[in-house]
Amino acid sequence: MLEEVAYLAYHFHWSYEQIMTMEHRERQQWVTQVAQINQRLSD
């Protein structure tokens, strides 16, 4: 979970509190979206 929080905070500059108010599933969905965007940018 800390990795998810760090990942989202790094990419979106969201605060710890903002990220922790999300449900785990929502955090996972954001992590997936960011990872897909990063993958497309690196291709």
Side-chain angles (χ1 to χ4, degrees), residues 2-41:
L2 289 178
E3 187 174 9
E4 289 176 2
V5 173
Y7 192 77
L8 294 176
Y10 176 79
H11 286 283
F12 288 122
H13 306 282
W14 290 341
S15 71
Y16 178 80
E17 290 77 18
Q18 288 174 304
I19 295 168
M20 291 307 293
T21 59
M22 296 178 197
E23 296 288 329
H24 185 227
R25 180 155 173 76
E26 183 180 7
R27 276 195 310 272
Q28 287 180 318
Q29 290 171 328
W30 280 112
V31 166
T32 299
Q33 290 300 313
V34 172
Q36 289 174 349
I37 290 168
N38 284 336
Q39 182 63 44
R40 282 196 303 266
L41 291 174

